[in-house]
């Protein structure tokens, strides 16, 4: 959730841009399209109570709108500075009255007030004062000093700077600073709002915000406790001493000088969760393991061909390899029959030649088709009666009508199926009787029987089967499988995003790419031979060399291992940047490994010095947002770090500080909100979180304060 | 029914070459030869292969030209009765498996 303490909804002064003017309706529409959760309306020297009340009515509690004003405050020397006065929405009417009284009919262009007048009018409303500081027109140091000394709520005086970098620097120097959009053109608000400060802790109201500003420990603890926390007991160190720490399902930072046992602590945390059945392991940067991590060699690579509509061709390959030639009927059988008939007196009396066998195939096909249709309709009817969705959609009358039509169809198909079954079986029996009859007559008369088939049918069906099987295999291996492209992560704003590509290709007989590996144990040469033989078989199905080719196919090395076309798959896995193959450097490897770790769904993330090999900019722009995102999702994140970017910018709910002093090793626990670090063994032993962070994390206090990147870039 | 009407008819003849008899089925530039007086299964298979390939272009039946009453004519007549029945059946199989050229 973001906060904007400085906005304008009205063109009040003559110098105000007309694009500052916005209707309550548009104001609400714009705000709801952003992540802003708290907004203060601070027009120049004017508070429009009617507009404020209309906005409150429209916004209906979806976000907090705080009433305020941006006043021209004058110093003794007559110089003007701008001071925002923001009050609780509960006091909007009172605030309006006080402002009207103070303005005393002066126009917004004419209006000025001294700090004494401001305090007299508003301090009783416990407002938030936000003074322009290093931002024109700036409130003078003398006015600011007077404000801080005379207000009853010193903690509620903030300094408004221009951006996040300035805020970070001034905060590090002890100035409570903040910034808002000071919007000039509402059409740009959505874009500008992305740079507003994030509220790390939930803020319920204006009053709650003021309590948090005071760093009131009770208020902060109450807020922190809204997150799930648990106490865990660890024995991370060789002396077996127990360490009880409270951890949050948010960011838990472990920091401190080198050699103070931070890594041991992380390992103990991982052990604790693993023993409780939660997948937890310590992530350590190891750029040399990138290929292993991404399984570039494809040891665990698998693919389901059905996902791509590709037939594995198990039956086709088996049938093709086992195919044998079918013999045709010898012509001499016909000759023998007719020669014998001429010489045999009985032959003339036997009318066997008049009985011709009938075709069985078409009758069988008709029966099969009708039978399949019958079954489908029966299944659909059953589905219709059983489906709650159908019953919800159709009235009882409509359902009955549809069911009646389908029942009639089912009955007709049932009758047809039976008739076709009878017809088919009649033919089968007739042909069988003819065959037996011929055989018996031949046996009793001594006359050779007339063959019932030339053998053409069986011969053709066999070859057709071979053609179909080989064609199906070729169809499969000629299929192109779309390349899988997975986003690995960003290599920074200048380089772009790294992708991890997995390309699959079937060895179709013409692939000769040395960068491709076989997905199975079958070597590449037998794969290629197999594909080529199947292709030749398909092209020679109706030629005399067909069975020689099948025999050759069966002679291929390891052919027994090719049971499906999956054994003909080749693959290549590689990284790609901008569509071109790319080898990440060791630093880039660290980047993507960390992103992969944070991108993997876990309940607990344990990162040991994730900043190793990474640049500040990258940590700021990519890693910190990812860590925050995991925390927002309610994950427990432990980070051992020496990097202020991570330890400070993530504003951890929990900071665990390890150090070594005269009394040996010590552990302190605290957070940036109270700015306290409390020793686990002595609650009176306290350190300042900010001071310790600055001292411990990447250099001294000065460097910490001056480095803009710690706080974000404008 | 329309398929019956448009069905091609291929002509077959029985030829005597010296003491050997063959049945030749002619279509386009092709000739499928079936030896009648000798058992030559490979030649019969070669003829069948041609008929299967031809069948992909559409159904047909084979008719015997100048049919006499000699032994080889009788054999050819009976052989073609059976062959035509089987051709029809194989055509049906090819059609249902999508193996036709059209």
């Amino acid at each position: 959730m973001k906060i904007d303490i400085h906005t304008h909804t009205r063109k009040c002064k003559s110098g105000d841009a007309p694009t500052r003017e916005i209707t309550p309706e548009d104001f609400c529409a714009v705000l709801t399209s952003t992540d802003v959760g708290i907004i203060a309306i601070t027009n120049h020297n004017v508070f429009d109570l009617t507009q404020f009340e209309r906005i409150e009515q429209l916004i209906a509690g979806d976000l907090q709108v705080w009433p305020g004003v941006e006043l021209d405050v004058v110093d003794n020397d007559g110089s003007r500075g701008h001071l925002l006065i923001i009050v609780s929405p509960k006091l909007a009417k009172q605030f309006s009255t006080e402002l009207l009284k103070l303005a005393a009919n002066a126009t917004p262009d004419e209006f000025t007030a001294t700090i004494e007048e401001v305090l007299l009018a508003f301090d009783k409303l416990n407002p938030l004062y936000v003074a322009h500081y290093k931002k024109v027109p700036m409130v003078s140091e003398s006015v600011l000093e007077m404000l801080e000394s005379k207000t009853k709520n010193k903690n509620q005086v903030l300094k408004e700077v221009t951006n996040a970098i300035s805020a970070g620097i001034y905060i590090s120097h002890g100035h409570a600073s903040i910034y808002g959009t000071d919007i000039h053109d509402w059409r740009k608000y959505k874009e500008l709002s992305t740079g507003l400060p994030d509220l790390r802790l939930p803020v319920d109201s204006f009053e709650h915000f003021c309590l948090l500003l005071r760093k009131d420990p009770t208020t902060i603890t109450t807020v922190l406790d809204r997150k799930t926390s648990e106490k865990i007991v660890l024995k991370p160190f060789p002396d077996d001493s127990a360490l009880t720490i409270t951890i949050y399902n948010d960011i838990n930072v472990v920091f401190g000088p080198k050699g103070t046992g931070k890594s041991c602590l992380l390992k103990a945390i991982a052990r604790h969760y693993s023993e409780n059945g939660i997948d937890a392991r310590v992530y350590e940067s190891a750029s040399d393991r990138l290929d292993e991590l991404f399984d570039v060699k494809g040891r665990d690579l698998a693919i389901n061909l059905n996902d791509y509509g590709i037939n594995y061709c198990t039956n086709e390959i088996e049938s093709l390899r086992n195919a044998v030639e079918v013999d045709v009927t010898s012509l001499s059988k016909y000759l023998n029959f007719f020669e014998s008939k001429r010489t045999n007196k009985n032959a003339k009396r036997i009318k066997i030649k008049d009985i011709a066998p009938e075709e069985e195939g078409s009758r069988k096909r008709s029966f099969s088709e009708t039978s399949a249709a019958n079954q489908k309709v029966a299944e659909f009817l059953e589905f219709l009666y059983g489906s709650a969705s159908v019953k919800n959609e159709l009235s009882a009358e409509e359902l009955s009508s549809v069911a009646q039509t389908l029942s009639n169809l089912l009955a007709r198909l049932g009758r047809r199926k039976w008739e076709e079954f009878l017809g088919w079986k009649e033919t089968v029996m007739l042909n069988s009787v003819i065959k037996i009859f011929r055989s018996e007559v031949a046996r009793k008369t001594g006359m050779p029987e007339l063959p019932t088939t030339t053998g053409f049918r069986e011969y053709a069906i066999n070859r057709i089967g071979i053609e179909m099987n080989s064609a199906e295999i070729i169809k499969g291996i000629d299929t192109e499988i779309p390349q899988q492209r997975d986003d690995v992560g960003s290599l920074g704003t200048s380089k772009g995003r790294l992708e991890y590509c997995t390309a699959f290709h079937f060895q179709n007989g013409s692939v000769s790419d040395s960068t491709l590996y076989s997905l199975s144990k079958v070597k590449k040469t037998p794969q290629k031979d197999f594909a080529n033989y199947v292709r030749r078989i398909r092209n020679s199905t109706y030629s005399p060399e067909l069975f020689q080719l099948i025999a050759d196919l069966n002679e291929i090395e390891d052919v027994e291992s090719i049971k499906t076309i999956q054994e003909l798959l080749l693959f290549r896995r590689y990284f790609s940047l901008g569509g071109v193959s790319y080898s990440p450097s060791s630093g880039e490897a660290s980047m993507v490994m960390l992103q992969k770790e944070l991108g993997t769904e876990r309940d607990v993330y344990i990162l040991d010095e994730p900043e190793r090999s990474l640049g500040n900019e990258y940590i700021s722009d990519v890693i910190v947002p990812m860590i925050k995102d995991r925390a927002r999702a309610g994950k427990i994140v432990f980070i051992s770090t020496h990097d202020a970017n991570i330890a400070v910018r993530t504003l951890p709910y929990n900071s665990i500080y390890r150090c070594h002093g005269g009394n040996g090793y010590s552990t302190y626990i605290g957070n940036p909100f109270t700015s306290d670090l409390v020793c686990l063994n002595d609650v009176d032993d306290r350190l300042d979180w900010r001071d310790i962070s600055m001292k411990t994390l990447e250099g001294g206090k000065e460097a910490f304060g001056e480095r803009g990147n710690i706080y974000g870039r404008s | 029914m329309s398929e019956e009407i448009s069905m091609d008819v291929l002509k077959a003849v029985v030829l005597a070459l010296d003491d050997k008899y063959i049945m030749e089925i002619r279509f386009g530039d092709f000739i499928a030869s079936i030896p009648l007086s000798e058992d030559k299964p490979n030649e019969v298979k070669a003829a069948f292969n041609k008929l299967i390939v031809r069948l992909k272009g559409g159904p047909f039946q084979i008719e015997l030209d100048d049919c006499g009453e000699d032994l080889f004519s009788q054999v050819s007549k009976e052989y073609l009765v059976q062959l035509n029945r089987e051709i029809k059946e194989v055509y049906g199989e090819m059609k249902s498996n999508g193996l036709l050229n059209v």
Side-chain angles (χ1 to χ4, degrees), chain A residues 325 328 330-332 334-335 342 357 359 361 365 450-454 456-457 459 461 464 467 542, chain B residues 35-36 39 45 48-49 52 56 69-72 78-79 82-83 85-86 89 92-94 96-97 99:
Chain A
E325 179 67 299
V328 296
S330 165
L331 262 296
S332 60
Y334 289 87
L335 280 174
R342 285 181 161 192
E359 185 203 341
R365 272 197 307 280
L450 176 63
T452 53
T453 170
T454 63
F456 178 79
R457 181 185 177 280
Y459 179 86
I461 297 293
I464 288 169
E467 183 187 11
Y542 304 106
Chain B
L36 296 171
D39 267 336
K45 286 176 186 176
F48 281 1
N49 282 336
I52 298 166
K56 287 187 174 195
E69 285 303 319
D70 60 288
L71 177 64
F72 291 103
E78 176 58 29
Y79 195 81
Q82 293 186 8
L83 188 58
R85 189 182 69 237
E86 293 175 49
E89 199 166 341
E93 289 284 339
M94 291 170 94
S96 67
N97 286 305
L99 291 172

Side-chain angles (χ1 to χ4, degrees), chain A residues 23 371 547:
Chain A
T23 65
S371 178
F547 285 93

Side-chain angles (χ1 to χ4, degrees), chain B:
Chain B
M1 187 59 78
S2 61
E3 193 172 276
E4 295 288 336
I5 292 165
S6 65
M7 191 181 292
D8 289 346
V9 175
L10 310 185
K11 292 294 178 188
V13 289
V14 177
L15 299 175
L17 298 169
D18 300 329
D19 58 344
K20 291 172 186 171
Y21 288 82
I22 56 169
M23 178 167 57
E24 277 189 1
I25 305 161
R26 293 170 184 180
F27 48 99
D29 295 336
F30 297 95
I31 298 173
S33 301
I34 296 171
L36 296 171
S37 52
E38 296 170 285
D39 267 336
K40 288 190 169 178
N42 286 342
E43 289 185 29
V44 176
K45 286 176 186 176
F48 281 1
N49 282 336
K50 289 178 182 172
L51 293 176
I52 298 166
V53 174
R54 168 60 185 82
L55 206 45
K56 287 187 174 195
F60 62 83
Q61 290 286 277
I62 304 166
E63 272 181 16
L64 192 59
D65 259 4
D66 300 329
C67 183
E69 285 303 319
D70 60 288
L71 177 64
F72 291 103
S73 291
Q74 280 185 308
V75 167
S76 298
K77 221 187 306 179
E78 176 58 29
Y79 195 81
L80 284 182
V81 167
Q82 293 186 8
L83 188 58
N84 278 331
R85 189 182 69 237
E86 293 175 49
I87 283 170
K88 192 178 167 193
E89 199 166 341
V90 168
Y91 178 77
E93 289 284 339
M94 291 170 94
K95 191 177 175 185
S96 67
N97 286 305
L99 291 172
L100 301 180
N101 289 339
V102 180

Side-chain angles (χ1 to χ4, degrees), chain A residues 238-288:
Chain A
D239 64 2
D240 236 16
S241 58
L243 209 63
T244 304
I245 55 172
T246 303
I247 59 101
Y248 292 87
N249 62 339
D250 200 277
I251 299 167
N252 302 266
V253 160
V254 182
F255 72 114
K258 285 187 185 296
T260 49
K262 298 188 298 297
S263 294
C264 293
L265 194 56
L266 293 190
K267 281 176 188 159
I269 290 167
R271 240 183 352 258
H272 167 84
Y273 284 108
S274 294
E275 283 166 10
N276 285 285
I278 296 167
D279 177 29
R281 64 183 186 87
V282 179
Y283 166 83
E284 291 171 281
S285 173
S287 53
D288 54 328

